[in-house]
Amino acid sequence: MENPRHIHRSRISFGDTDCSGWLHFPAIFRHVEEAEHALFREIGLTIIDRESGGWPRVHASCDYKRPLHFGDEIEVQLAVERIGGTSVTWLFEVLKDGEPAAAGKIVAVRVDATGAAAPVDDRTRALLRA
């Protein structure tokens, strides 16, 4: 991935795998969310605020390029593809030993405390673009 916004390293846990020790396909999204949460903390934002809302996912896709196994160390590269009026589109790539293992996209929508779509404020927009 060219110019990732954030790089996060983690390890495939036993709970991420199926009975063969291979990564169970939806588990990759937990690692991507960890990277997103780490980015939010790094730039001084919170991913969930019960009083002002959060960022639920409305779309997620992933192409798997090679298997990942229990104990593998991975690197998640995260980039902002687009910031819309109420959403952020994230691109991600997961690497193992510097080689692509998975890549995809997640769209998160900003919502208020009632769950209604809310605008991405200027401060958040600027911090995500920095």
Side-chain angles (χ1 to χ4, degrees):
M1 171 178 289
E2 191 174 318
N3 300 318
R5 176 68 176 87
H6 184 75
I7 295 175
H8 183 77
R9 289 174 180 77
S10 63
R11 184 179 298 273
I12 303 300
S13 70
F14 181 74
D16 290 334
T17 64
D18 61 20
C19 293
S20 68
W22 290 40
L23 180 80
H24 192 246
F25 72 94
I28 201 75
F29 293 109
R30 283 193 294 274
H31 291 274
V32 174
E33 282 189 328
E34 285 178 19
E36 179 192 18
H37 295 187
L39 168 61
F40 268 63
R41 285 189 303 274
E42 183 179 284
I43 63 177
L45 296 173
T46 57
I47 196 78
I48 297 174
D49 180 344
R50 301 217 190 281
E51 293 180 17
S52 66
W55 295 88
R57 281 70 179 115
V58 296
H59 173 83
S61 64
C62 184
D63 293 316
Y64 300 89
K65 301 172 189 284
R66 63 187 276 202
L68 295 170
H69 303 91
F70 169 67
D72 284 350
E73 291 183 24
I74 60 171
E75 176 179 290
V76 178
Q77 297 184 355
L78 190 62
V80 175
E81 179 184 53
R82 178 180 180 276
I83 303 175
T86 61
S87 66
V88 174
T89 302
W90 299 101
L91 297 178
F92 67 87
E93 187 168 41
V94 178
L95 306 175
K96 179 187 176 247
D97 299 328
E99 296 293 322
K105 180 185 289 196
I106 295 176
V107 179
V109 172
R110 179 73 177 124
V111 297
D112 65 19
T114 70
V120 178
D121 62 83
D122 291 339
R123 176 178 176 265
T124 298
R125 188 177 300 278
L127 289 169
L128 289 173
R129 283 190 177 142

